[in-house]
Amino acid sequence: MAKQQPARRWYKTYIAPFTRPLILGSSLVMLSLSVLFLADLLGLRTDTGEISRESRKVVVEALAVQLSTLASNGDLSDIQNTVSRFVLRNGDIHAAALVRDTGVILAEFGDTTQLDTRESESTATQLLVPIYDESRLWGEVRVVFAPMANRLSEMLWLGFVALCSLVAFTAFLSRALVQLDPGKAVPGRVDSAMNLFSAGVIVLDAKLRIVMANQSAAGIADCTASELTGRSLDDWPWQKEAGWQAPWTTTLHSGLAISDESLKLVRKGKEERLFQVSCAFVGDGDDGRKGVLVTLDDMTKVERQNRELKASLVKERQSQELIAEKNRELKILATTDPLTGIANRRTLMEELDARMNHALLEGTALSCIMTDIDHFKQVNDNYGHAVGDDVIRATAEVLQGLCRDGDILGRYGGEEFVIVLPGLDAAAAAQVAERARIAVIALAYGDRLAVEKLSSSFGVSDLSCGATDGSSLVDAADQGLYRAKEGGRNQVVIHAPSASGTVKPVAESAGESVIESVGNEELVREKPLDDVLMASVSDHLQARVLELEGLVQQRDHELSVVSEFDALTGMPLRTIFLQRMETEQIRAKRDDTLVGVISFALRDLDRLVSTFGYVLCDELVMDVVDRLQNGLRSTDLVSMLSAEHSLSRITSNEYAVLLSSLNDTTSAMIVVTRLKRLFSEPFVLGEEKVYIGANIGIAISSRSDQEATSLFAEASEARKLASIRSDKISHVFASNSLHVASDDYIRLESDLHEALENNAIETWFQPKFDLAKRQVTGMEALIRWKHETRGFVSPQLFVAVAEANGLIDKLSKRVLKATLQQIVVWRSMGFDDLRVSINISPMQLKAETLVEETLMALREAGVEGRQLEIELTETSVLDNPEQARHALARLQEAGVGISIDDFGTGYTSLSLLADLPLDVVKIDRLFINAVETSARSRALVGSVINMAHALNLRVVGEGVETNAQLEIMSQLGCDEVQGYLISRPQSADKITAFLVNQRISNQARRA
């Protein structure tokens, strides 16, 4: 290595500087020789050999004339003397001879061995000139010349010319290239300094050709820096989308600096490479000397690490979701009886202990019923275990049907069940148990169960037995059950140690059932006492009555289906709701949208009825309906054919909401969140404030065909699952994936609260470019939220969450405050004329405090109104145009600019546009995108610009992404443009650096 270093330094010092001139000089020499050969091929070059042959012929002919004259005199000595003198005087003549036609040599001189008498014609070295005596051949003169120049000598001559030309060209070009090659004009130490940059650095000329590149840039292109010269950076294999324009092209044409634009370099068989590209304008465009400085920062490794991290986060989230799903399944398995679906023994006792503690603390009643199916072993023995399972399930359904909201039903073990009844004492619980006893007997009727008869025994206890916890209360009920079985089964016994022993009838109308004291228990059973084991006639009659009641309920249900509107609330009932669902599903299939159904019920409605009475509870229902109809936007929800109401009443305590034209499930989650918020506020019942709970079930249709009844059933089942949850206001989605998404949405809502508290919401800015001044004159403030795990959350998503949860006002104030603070910063840096626009939502425009809060914020920040602009959409003014006009006029009087955003996509009439106090019209990007290819779009945009100018309004074109769009908008008279061509939205620090760079660039151009 030590020996190689001097040789390398010698090469760099003495050889390397001439490498490129030598290559170019060789090319020029080859070009010159090619021209000479071409001229020779076309016959344009004079043949020197032919000239020499002609001159030799003339000399020999002159000799022949002289010799023929001497021969006619017969003077042979003069002939010999003439021949010898001829040879001696001409150095390129080797020999000469005069030969008779008979072959006799009359005279010769020189190297006669070269004379070839056999040749009858002239050759390149020997010329023959005949001598005639009148018409007869007398003899001939033969002359041997030295050979003429051959091809080898010509090649040597050409080689000499080429070598001399090469030396001359190399010497000339070594100096000329200093002027032609900017890289040579840069001192070596500067070139070395550029090579210190790890990023690729490239300089482009006015035609976007590479004129200089450092070693990093050459490494990116897999070639040397000198090989890059003259090539186009556009020819590199960049990943291009439709309408893609290179950032250096944008910088060259607009003069704007571009920072950190991401570009991918894709090469076949190699890894994709990601670069952060920055471009700056160099030179002075006025005299044509301009170019672009491009830097390429390789972000491939960082991007790979980010992808790996993101993949890990996704896997972790999936694992967490899977764990959560498994936990839910395990919770159901751990808390639910697998055969009946009701609470298992452990869950039952936990819930009972909680209700016991509450009842003891509040001093309210609490009772417990324990029941056991009579002779259940015989059922299994006679009919099989499958029938036994059917009996257990049917009994559980009967008991579940008798339970109120808030009651607890659980399978205690085997054929034993326990019912916990908050708010009821033992006597009231005994009435429930008696109805359950009759209902169990009725189960044997009909074809549902394969048993001839069926009965159950019941034990009842309440807090009067002295129970201190759930176990002791169940033990007391179990003692009552034990007495019922001892007394002959199929009866109800109250365990009441303090009973006086008096006999109390259960119902005077029954005439058969009585409550009789038996020791420490009260027995509810049928007369006569001697036949308690068998169901009495009264039992059968009551069971028959129960069956008839079921038929009546079925008939009532059929009548309710026929009925359309609820008498109390005026809302549509089930039939019309399902019809509307079918209509919306047909439309959704046509429009490729979704339909959603929300089913909800009020919690503890029976308790409220028992506490406040039916009249007040009916008023409560009306208040609930009114609040929901006013709180839920009618554009979200539809269920009534001829009115704006959005609710349907399905049963006495089940309501439904139909969500139509959903593009995705997020809209449904927003409505659910808003629904829960409306329920969380108190209701006034009489003179008291009451907080009510709700069970909410949600089902979303798939994009395939699904019947309305099936979709509604899914929502109802989800509502029932929600009732099991402990939350006062709980919701469940019918789909597990949607439920996970719903939980994710709720987490997003919670995270948004935290982000607002922790100042994690950022305000970014996007420049507006004045087409006349060719510089940035304004900004638009845009909100951004970078979540710790989600990355950047779409503003459309979290703004919708903010609107649904009452956070939009707080969010907007944060943006306004940050914008005004940034205006103050820019003003201190000399950017005095920037006008910054902020977006306001329709909800803010409706707020009466918008004007006062905006003006107060301007005063507190010390910012003039002329530097602030309010952007609103067309549709935001349609609800109350007069209120909007008044509010906007007050802001305009204070100097605040008013802008209509996304013009052309809404429904604003021209008269309304003329009446509103506006300053700016922003043309939507949909129209801008088409101006390059559509003459009609250009005409339309031009008409909008002319109309706006006629109304003294400035025009801003949104979404300008190509130079062609920029130039077209300029030709059409647009005042300002905004879009990725100028700059993407960036943080305040980056946009400030952008402004500084533009100012430096403008100053350099004017200098």
Side-chain angles (χ1 to χ4, degrees):
M1 290 297 293
K3 294 181 179 179
Q4 293 178 357
Q5 291 299 329
R8 184 174 300 174
R9 285 196 299 270
W10 183 86
Y11 172 80
K12 288 185 176 181
T13 303
Y14 298 104
I15 302 299
F18 296 98
T19 301
R20 193 174 180 204
L22 189 61
I23 294 173
L24 293 176
S26 301
S27 301
L28 290 174
V29 169
M30 295 302 296
L31 178 62
S32 300
L33 293 178
S34 298
V35 172
L36 291 176
F37 283 125
L38 180 62
D40 189 33
L41 180 64
L42 296 176
L44 301 178
R45 187 169 69 93
T46 303
D47 190 352
T48 56
E50 185 66 26
I51 295 173
S52 298
R53 282 192 296 272
E54 289 296 328
S55 62
R56 288 180 177 182
K57 184 177 180 182
V58 171
V59 170
V60 175
E61 287 177 347
L63 177 63
V65 170
Q66 187 176 5
L67 292 178
S68 64
T69 301
L70 294 175
S72 61
N73 295 329
D75 192 351
L76 293 177
S77 61
D78 288 342
I79 293 174
Q80 182 64 45
N81 292 332
T82 301
V83 171
S84 61
R85 287 195 301 269
F86 176 75
V87 173
L88 292 173
R89 286 198 304 264
N90 295 282
D92 60 340
I93 297 175
H94 291 179
L98 177 62
V99 183
R100 282 295 307 270
D101 58 339
T102 58
V104 176
I105 299 174
L106 298 180
E108 61 180 352
F109 188 83
D111 187 4
T112 58
T113 59
Q114 296 186 27
L115 292 170
D116 189 357
T117 58
R118 292 172 299 176
E119 290 288 344
S120 60
E121 293 182 357
S122 297
T123 63
T125 59
Q126 180 174 280
L127 289 180
L128 303 181
V129 176
I131 300 175
Y132 292 91
D133 182 10
E134 294 182 356
S135 60
R136 183 177 63 83
L137 179 65
W138 181 82
E140 61 183 1
V141 177
R142 293 178 179 266
V143 179
V144 178
F145 288 88
M148 290 186 293
N150 55 22
R151 289 292 179 184
L152 177 60
S153 62
E154 288 187 1
M155 293 301 295
L156 290 174
W157 179 81
L158 287 175
F160 175 77
V161 172
L163 181 60
C164 293
S165 299
L166 178 61
V167 174
F169 286 149
T170 301
F172 172 75
L173 289 174
S174 63
R175 293 182 176 274
L177 285 177
V178 173
Q179 302 298 325
L180 297 176
D181 185 2
K184 294 296 182 181
V186 178
R189 57 181 178 274
V190 177
D191 193 38
S192 300
M194 288 185 62
N195 289 330
L196 292 176
F197 290 103
S198 59
V201 180
I202 296 175
V203 178
L204 307 178
D205 64 9
K207 294 184 179 180
L208 296 177
R209 296 172 302 194
I210 299 174
V211 295
M212 184 185 298
N214 68 350
Q215 290 179 355
S216 297
I220 296 172
D222 293 333
C223 63
T224 63
S226 60
E227 290 173 340
L228 281 177
T229 303
R231 293 168 57 181
S232 172
L233 194 55
D234 286 356
D235 294 338
W236 290 19
W238 302 109
Q239 187 179 70
K240 303 174 183 178
E241 299 177 354
W244 180 82
Q245 178 171 271
W248 41 88
T249 304
T250 299
T251 297
L252 181 69
H253 289 283
S254 65
L256 294 171
I258 293 177
S259 300
D260 298 333
E261 180 170 332
S262 297
L263 290 180
K264 277 187 178 180
L265 199 62
V266 182
R267 287 193 177 123
K268 189 175 181 180
K270 293 186 178 182
E271 180 187 15
E272 290 185 1
R273 299 179 69 180
L274 177 69
F275 293 93
Q276 294 284 359
V277 180
S278 298
C279 304
F281 187 88
V282 294
D284 188 351
D286 295 335
D287 60 1
R289 292 180 299 175
K290 60 181 181 179
V292 181
L293 176 67
V294 183
T295 61
L296 306 171
D297 288 314
D298 194 346
M299 305 296 291
T300 307
K301 184 177 181 180
V302 175
E303 178 67 13
R304 188 187 309 115
Q305 293 173 344
N306 288 339
R307 285 199 303 267
E308 293 173 354
L309 179 60
K310 185 176 181 180
S312 300
L313 292 174
V314 169
K315 289 182 180 179
E316 182 181 357
R317 188 180 298 114
Q318 291 174 345
S319 300
Q320 292 175 349
E321 292 173 355
L322 181 61
I323 292 171
E325 179 65 23
K326 294 299 182 182
N327 287 339
R328 283 192 293 270
E329 294 175 359
L330 290 173
K331 184 177 180 180
I332 293 174
L333 292 175
T335 59
T336 306
D337 176 57
L339 179 61
T340 61
I342 61 177
N344 58 19
R345 179 168 181 168
R346 183 176 68 110
T347 304
L348 171 70
M349 297 308 296
E350 290 176 354
E351 290 288 338
L352 176 56
D353 287 337
R355 298 299 175 91
M356 276 280 294
N357 293 334
H358 182 268
L360 293 173
L361 183 64
E362 298 293 332
T364 57
L366 180 71
S367 58
C368 176
I369 299 174
M370 175 173 267
T371 180
D372 181 81
I373 301 174
D374 295 334
H375 303 296
F376 183 73
K377 185 176 182 304
Q378 295 180 9
V379 173
N380 280 333
D381 293 342
N382 295 334
Y383 300 99
H385 289 281
V387 174
D389 290 344
D390 291 340
V391 169
I392 289 176
R393 279 192 291 266
T395 302
E397 291 177 8
V398 165
L399 299 178
Q400 184 73 58
L402 294 172
C403 291
R404 308 160 302 166
D405 287 343
D407 292 346
I408 304 171
L409 171 64
R411 187 179 179 190
Y412 197 70
E415 65 273 20
E416 291 183 328
F417 300 89
V418 170
I419 304 175
V420 180
L421 304 169
L424 298 183
D425 59 11
Q431 299 288 348
V432 175
E434 179 62 17
R435 291 197 299 273
R437 186 182 70 84
I438 299 300
V440 171
I441 294 174
L443 285 175
Y445 297 171
D447 299 330
R448 180 176 181 182
L449 297 177
V451 294
E452 296 180 359
K453 58 184 179 180
L454 192 65
S455 65
S456 289
S457 301
F458 296 82
V460 181
S461 64
D462 62 9
L463 297 180
S464 64
C465 70
T468 57
D469 57 20
S471 296
S472 57
L473 185 64
V474 172
D475 288 343
D478 187 40
Q479 293 180 36
L481 175 62
Y482 177 76
R483 296 289 303 189
K485 287 182 174 290
E486 276 193 337
R489 305 177 187 273
N490 191 24
Q491 48 194 325
V492 179
V493 173
I494 301 175
H495 176 73
S498 60
S500 61
T502 58
V503 176
K504 296 175 287 183
V506 174
E508 295 295 339
S509 60
E512 298 289 343
S513 300
V514 299
I515 300 178
E516 178 183 351
S517 175
V518 182
N520 287 338
E521 283 79 26
E522 292 182 353
L523 180 65
V524 180
R525 59 186 180 183
E526 301 297 318
K527 294 180 180 180
L529 294 175
D530 58 352
D531 192 20
V532 296
L533 189 61
M534 300 296 294
S536 66
V537 174
S538 175
D539 288 345
H540 287 294
L541 290 176
Q542 291 185 57
R544 181 59 179 166
V545 168
L546 191 63
E547 181 184 14
L548 291 175
E549 286 178 349
L551 293 175
V552 171
Q553 290 177 358
Q554 182 179 357
R555 179 64 61 182
D556 289 341
H557 174 70
E558 293 173 354
L559 291 175
S560 67
V561 170
V562 177
S563 177
E564 293 184 349
F565 294 94
D566 177 54
L568 176 64
T569 62
M571 292 189 301
L573 296 178
R574 180 185 178 90
T575 302
I576 197 169
F577 180 75
L578 292 177
Q579 291 174 354
R580 183 61 175 169
M581 279 186 64
E582 292 173 353
T583 301
E584 290 300 325
Q585 284 180 303
I586 294 173
R587 185 166 68 177
K589 184 177 180 180
R590 182 189 65 221
D591 299 339
D592 195 25
T593 56
L594 301 175
V595 172
V597 178
I598 298 177
S599 171
F600 68 91
L602 306 182
R603 284 197 171 191
D604 301 326
L605 186 60
D606 291 340
R607 179 178 60 80
L608 293 173
V609 170
S610 63
T611 303
F612 295 98
Y614 285 102
V615 176
L616 289 179
C617 286
D618 284 346
E619 294 180 1
L620 173 64
V621 170
M622 291 297 298
D623 290 343
V624 170
V625 171
D626 289 342
R627 178 181 293 182
L628 297 184
Q629 286 177 337
N630 293 328
L632 297 173
R633 291 186 294 117
S634 59
T635 53
D636 289 336
L637 319 167
V638 287
S639 67
M640 214 172 177
L641 293 178
S642 58
E644 295 179 355
H645 298 160
S646 305
L647 302 173
S648 292
R649 192 174 189 181
I650 306 303
T651 64
S652 61
N653 191 26
E654 182 180 7
Y655 303 83
V657 180
L658 179 60
L659 311 178
S660 62
S661 301
L662 301 177
N663 293 321
D664 50 43
T665 58
T666 303
S667 301
M669 296 174 189
I670 293 174
V671 176
V672 171
T673 304
R674 195 181 310 163
L675 188 63
K676 295 180 72 173
R677 180 165 53 85
L678 292 172
F679 272 120
S680 66
E681 299 173 1
F683 291 86
V684 177
L685 199 57
E687 297 181 355
E688 298 185 29
K689 286 185 177 181
V690 178
Y691 290 86
I692 65 172
N695 306 320
I696 304 171
I698 310 99
I700 307 293
S701 68
S702 62
R703 296 191 184 270
S704 59
D705 293 336
Q706 184 177 14
E707 293 184 358
T709 53
S710 173
L711 182 62
F712 180 73
E714 289 181 5
S716 297
E717 288 299 320
R719 174 184 55 79
K720 292 177 183 178
L721 291 175
S723 66
I724 301 175
R725 295 191 164 203
S726 59
D727 301 341
K728 190 173 184 66
I729 304 172
S730 62
H731 78 281
V732 171
F733 274 82
S735 166
N736 286 335
S737 60
L738 285 180
H739 193 74
V740 171
S742 171
D743 290 342
D744 183 70
Y745 179 84
I746 293 175
R747 285 195 297 269
L748 181 66
E749 176 188 334
S750 176
D751 292 344
L752 180 58
H753 280 277
E754 293 183 4
L756 286 170
E757 293 297 328
N758 298 331
N759 295 321
I761 305 295
E762 298 182 11
T763 302
W764 286 22
F765 300 90
Q766 186 176 30
K768 298 177 184 177
F769 186 71
D770 190 295
L771 290 172
K773 298 179 181 178
R774 292 285 166 165
Q775 65 183 25
V776 173
T777 54
M779 296 282 176
E780 180 180 1
L782 299 168
I783 194 167
R784 291 293 184 269
W785 176 23
K786 188 173 184 181
H787 194 276
E788 292 182 356
T789 57
R790 301 170 186 261
F792 281 103
V793 183
S794 168
Q796 291 182 341
L797 175 59
F798 72 81
V799 168
V801 173
E803 288 181 340
N805 294 277
L807 298 176
I808 189 64
D809 186 56
K810 187 174 183 180
L811 196 62
S812 300
K813 288 180 179 178
R814 185 72 54 82
V815 174
L816 176 60
K817 183 178 180 180
T819 299
L820 296 179
Q821 289 175 346
Q822 192 58 46
I823 290 175
V824 173
V825 172
W826 286 333
R827 191 173 60 195
S828 67
M829 298 175 65
F831 301 105
D832 300 328
D833 297 327
L834 286 179
R835 169 174 277 192
V836 185
S837 61
I838 62 172
N839 294 275
I840 62 171
S841 69
M843 294 181 63
Q844 290 176 273
L845 191 59
K846 294 176 184 178
E848 298 179 356
T849 59
L850 171 66
V851 176
E852 295 300 331
E853 290 178 349
T854 303
L855 297 181
M856 182 179 294
L858 284 168
R859 289 192 297 269
E860 292 177 351
V863 175
E864 297 179 20
R866 66 178 181 83
Q867 290 194 274
L868 182 67
E869 187 175 282
I870 298 294
E871 287 191 16
L872 60 154
T873 60
E874 297 180 47
T875 53
S876 63
V877 301
L878 293 181
D879 291 340
N880 195 336
E882 184 59 30
Q883 179 185 354
R885 188 189 64 77
H886 179 69
L888 297 177
R890 290 186 59 194
L891 289 171
Q892 195 178 55
E893 289 174 2
V896 178
I898 309 298
S899 172
I900 281 285
D901 196 10
D902 300 333
F903 183 78
T905 61
Y907 306 94
T908 303
S909 64
L910 295 180
S911 60
L912 183 60
L913 183 64
D915 290 339
L916 288 174
L918 299 176
D919 299 289
V920 179
V921 170
K922 298 186 72 174
I923 302 177
D924 188 75
R925 67 182 65 246
L926 292 175
F927 300 102
I928 306 299
N929 290 339
V931 295
E932 288 185 72
T933 57
S934 172
R936 299 187 65 176
S937 294
R938 286 195 296 273
L940 179 61
V941 171
S943 299
V944 173
I945 293 173
N946 293 333
M947 178 192 67
H949 286 167
L951 296 173
N952 294 321
L953 303 177
R954 288 178 59 81
V955 180
V956 177
E958 290 186 291
V960 174
E961 298 182 355
T962 67
N963 288 318
Q965 292 173 357
L966 183 141
E967 294 303 328
I968 291 172
M969 294 303 292
S970 179
Q971 294 169 7
L972 293 175
C974 184
D975 300 295
E976 292 178 316
V977 293
Q978 176 182 349
Y980 284 2
L981 177 66
I982 311 302
S983 173
R984 294 174 179 268
Q986 299 184 80
S987 63
D989 292 340
K990 290 185 177 181
I991 214 69
T992 299
F994 172 86
L995 288 172
V996 172
N997 288 337
Q998 299 310 308
R999 180 164 63 185
I1000 294 173
S1001 178
N1002 292 336
Q1003 290 173 349
R1005 264 188 276 179
R1006 289 194 295 266

